[in-house]
Amino acid sequence: MRIAIIGGGAAGFFAALSARERYPDARVTIFEKSGKVLAKVKISGGGRCNLTNAAPEISDLIKAYPRGGNSLKKLFHEFSNMDAMKWFEAHGVPLVVQDDDCVFPAAQDSQVVINCFLREAQRLGVDVRTFCGVSALVPSNGKWKLMFQGHDRNIEDYDKVIVTTGGSSREEGFDWLKKLGHRIEVPIPSLFTFNMPDEPVTRLMGVVVDDVKVSVESSRLNAEGPLLITHWGMSGPAILKLSSFAARHLHQLNYEFNIYVNWLGNSDHGEVTKTLEEIALKHSKKLMTNFRPFSLTERLWAFLIERCGIIVNKKWGESGKKDLNKLVEVLTHDKYTVRGKSTFRDEFVTCGGVSLKDVDMKTMQSKVTPNLYFAGEVLDIDAITGGFNLQAAWTTGYIAGHLR
Ligand SMILES: Cc1cc2nc3c(=O)[nH]c(=O)nc-3n(C[C@H](O)[C@H](O)[C@H](O)COP(=O)(O)OP(=O)(O)OC[C@H]3O[C@@H](n4cnc5c(N)ncnc54)[C@H](O)[C@@H]3O)c2cc1C
């Protein structure tokens, strides 16, 4: 049996190794467009490669995927994050799990992951060919012929083809797959930070708030987690998560929208009102700017007080109902205008790709045409940061390599 893997990234290598282990007599060839395989693995996680996430349950794991989570559920029962961790450890890559469950090689260097794949590919006799960009797949008596970019030369026939070409920010990047009858979900960015050129809050750049809830106006889209104020707007896990879950919606709004920030996480209006009323009674002699009831930084608290129009030397005892109401509103439902986005420095993932409707999500085989399989980011699957995107590449690559 001849197996062609198109794309020498994370999913391509995992699919190749999985196929070769299952079918030891098969000839497995990886065709890579560029001169370098595993280039994204190299830069992943800031060069340290956050290769998976140690979320304890599959039900927790799938929550990290705004697109594809439900389809991945069954696949994770076959090859989960725990299986991936065992796989790497067994193949000479000791791991460390951070407090936030992100998993990295103990060497803190993505090169050890690359070395592991190259070693395994050589041991199993996987043929890796670079500068081989595939431009078309042509059916040929139940098999496939590959056409290559630049020189439209087709060589051997392949019994099975696994497409692992990764994400593309341009829809045209999927044209050759569209021609085979596959529907494509329009690719758009996910994982970005919010630009707020008109918001004075950027004065507070560098301030981190541990637990906020951010919601998009007139929608049910929200996310919780730490928030970082930057010189251009807002970033941090809560914003990145929201950008991922709201990717399609925000794209439709042309990245011009309003958000509401609850600086106190999940605390509601009633709770916060009660706390502030108690303070106004108990600490009536203290200045509002000096006595901070919540664990917000001094700079942020002063900014929020100013935002309410409360004068600097007002004492808690002098605050009226109007001041307290305004303060509660600003603490729990603070409105900001977003105008544009910026790509997050460490990670860029495409939302969209080959529609899961046309893929059998038990086997990764195309429902449109037989003997064609998909794995990795070429599919309409993507996740928030934390090792989940690479985990999707391992899992779908592993299953696609079974060639069921
Ligand atoms: C800067 C950055 C940091 C990241 N950090 C992390 C992280 O720490 N943890 C995490 O989980 N995720 C991370 N991600 C996301 C993660 O890297 C990707 O989700 C993952 O690499 C996808 O793997 P893939 O094999 O599907 O695609 P890719 O890694 O993109 O590989 C696809 C390969 O196919 C090749 N190719 C494309 N078209 C063709 C063609 N026509 N013919 C032949 N070859 C072709 C490409 O050249 C490429 O080598 C990061 C992404 C970026 C950009």
Side-chain angles (χ1 to χ4, degrees), residues 83 91 284 297:
D83 295 319
H91 289 81
S284 56
T297 66

Side-chain angles (χ1 to χ4, degrees), residues 308 310 314 319-329:
C308 295
I310 295 171
K314 195 173 233 178
S319 63
K321 213 167 178 54
K322 209 171 136 205
D323 286 333
L324 292 190
N325 278 344
K326 182 76 189 140
L327 192 49
V328 174
E329 183 71 8

Side-chain angles (χ1 to χ4, degrees), residues 305-378:
I305 290 274
E306 186 191 324
R307 200 160 161 78
C308 295
I310 295 171
I311 50 164
V312 184
N313 49 7
K314 195 173 233 178
K315 294 189 176 122
W316 275 102
E318 293 161 1
S319 63
K321 213 167 178 54
K322 209 171 136 205
D323 286 333
L324 292 190
N325 278 344
K326 182 76 189 140
L327 192 49
V328 174
E329 183 71 8
V330 161
L331 284 165
T332 60
H333 199 60
D334 200 10
K335 187 172 175 174
Y336 293 89
T337 298
V338 179
R339 290 216 272 123
K341 61 168 174 52
S342 295
T343 303
F344 182 51
R345 87 192 126 83
D346 274 350
E347 194 154 7
F348 180 90
V349 171
T350 317
C351 143
V354 171
S355 169
L356 304 189
K357 291 181 203 136
D358 296 334
V359 178
D360 176 349
M361 291 304 290
K362 286 190 212 76
T363 62
M364 309 314 297
Q365 185 166 194
S366 163
K367 288 184 190 169
V368 178
T369 174
N371 298 327
L372 180 67
Y373 297 77
F374 294 94
E377 215 186 301
V378 69

Side-chain angles (χ1 to χ4, degrees), residues 74-124:
K74 277 195 208 91
L75 303 182
F76 283 149
H77 282 286
E78 271 195 71
F79 192 84
S80 67
N81 51 344
M82 298 301 157
D83 295 319
M85 288 166 71
K86 278 188 212 138
W87 190 95
F88 282 105
E89 297 259 2
H91 289 81
V93 183
L95 304 174
V96 284
V97 182
Q98 292 187 169
D99 290 347
D100 59 1
D101 277 345
C102 291
V103 181
F104 291 87
Q108 302 287 336
D109 184 356
S110 57
Q111 192 58 42
V112 298
V113 178
I114 297 174
N115 293 347
C116 163
F117 283 135
L118 296 179
R119 206 168 47 233
E120 277 304 292
Q122 196 175 31
R123 184 179 71 82
L124 293 171

Side-chain angles (χ1 to χ4, degrees), residues 19-294:
R20 197 68 175 82
E21 277 189 334
R22 198 143 271 258
Y23 303 99
D25 297 329
R27 269 181 56 190
V28 181
T29 309
I30 296 177
F31 294 99
E32 165 56 43
K33 176 173 74 173
S34 72
K36 244 191 200 148
V37 293
L38 298 160
K40 255 196 201 175
V41 169
K42 178 77 183 163
I43 55 169
S44 65
R48 295 192 299 136
C49 186
N50 178 193
L51 55 82
T52 189
N53 188 284
E57 303 290 337
I58 288 175
S59 52
D60 299 323
L61 197 57
I62 61 167
K63 282 188 201 138
Y65 297 84
R67 288 149 292 271
N70 281 338
S71 305
L72 282 172
K73 195 172 175 180
K74 277 195 208 91
L75 303 182
F76 283 149
H77 282 286
E78 271 195 71
F79 192 84
S80 67
N81 51 344
M82 298 301 157
D83 295 319
M85 288 166 71
K86 278 188 212 138
W87 190 95
F88 282 105
E89 297 259 2
H91 289 81
V93 183
L95 304 174
V96 284
V97 182
Q98 292 187 169
D99 290 347
D100 59 1
D101 277 345
C102 291
V103 181
F104 291 87
Q108 302 287 336
D109 184 356
S110 57
Q111 192 58 42
V112 298
V113 178
I114 297 174
N115 293 347
C116 163
F117 283 135
L118 296 179
R119 206 168 47 233
E120 277 304 292
Q122 196 175 31
R123 184 179 71 82
L124 293 171
V126 173
D127 184 14
V128 182
R129 298 195 201 163
T130 51
F131 297 113
C132 284
V134 173
S135 56
L137 286 176
V138 183
S140 160
N141 301 322
K143 299 188 179 191
W144 292 103
K145 273 195 193 299
L146 311 188
M147 309 290 285
F148 292 91
Q149 291 164 2
H151 41 104
D152 272 357
R153 166 174 65 97
N154 54 29
I155 38 171
E156 302 142 291
D157 285 344
Y158 289 87
D159 301 277
K160 311 267 183 187
V161 171
I162 308 179
V163 177
T164 55
T165 45
S168 168
S169 50
R170 294 173 310 111
E171 204 178 349
E172 309 85 82
F174 296 95
D175 278 353
W176 63 293
L177 298 171
K178 229 189 223 174
K179 280 191 192 132
L180 297 171
H182 275 276
R183 280 172 285 182
I184 304 298
E185 301 294 342
V186 180
I188 55 163
S190 179
L191 297 176
F192 46 84
T193 65
F194 296 169
N195 296 354
M196 301 176 167
D198 305 324
E199 291 289 0
V201 72
T202 53
R203 279 197 332 242
L204 305 184
M205 69 178 176
V207 165
V208 177
V209 190
D210 281 342
D211 182 25
V212 300
K213 183 171 179 178
V214 191
S215 323
V216 177
E217 188 181 49
S218 308
S219 84
R220 296 172 72 173
L221 295 157
N222 61 70
E224 277 177 64
L227 181 141
L228 165 69
I229 300 171
T230 64
H231 65 88
W232 69 89
M234 288 181 185
S235 178
I239 297 294
L240 291 172
K241 195 169 166 187
L242 184 58
S243 78
S244 177
F245 277 89
R248 292 236 170 262
H249 183 67
L250 302 184
H251 179 73
Q252 273 163 14
L253 298 175
N254 202 20
Y255 305 104
E256 305 225 334
F257 55 97
N258 295 322
I259 56 168
Y260 288 101
V261 178
N262 184 336
W263 295 104
L264 306 175
N266 254 325
S267 304
D268 70 23
H269 200 276
E271 269 171 72
V272 179
T273 306
K274 199 164 159 247
T275 309
L276 294 186
E277 281 171 354
E278 281 169 10
I279 288 166
L281 280 177
K282 276 195 207 152
H283 302 278
S284 56
K285 299 263 178 327
K286 295 195 172 134
L287 286 179
M288 290 182 81
T289 37
N290 286 355
F291 187 82
R292 289 176 285 137
F294 307 100

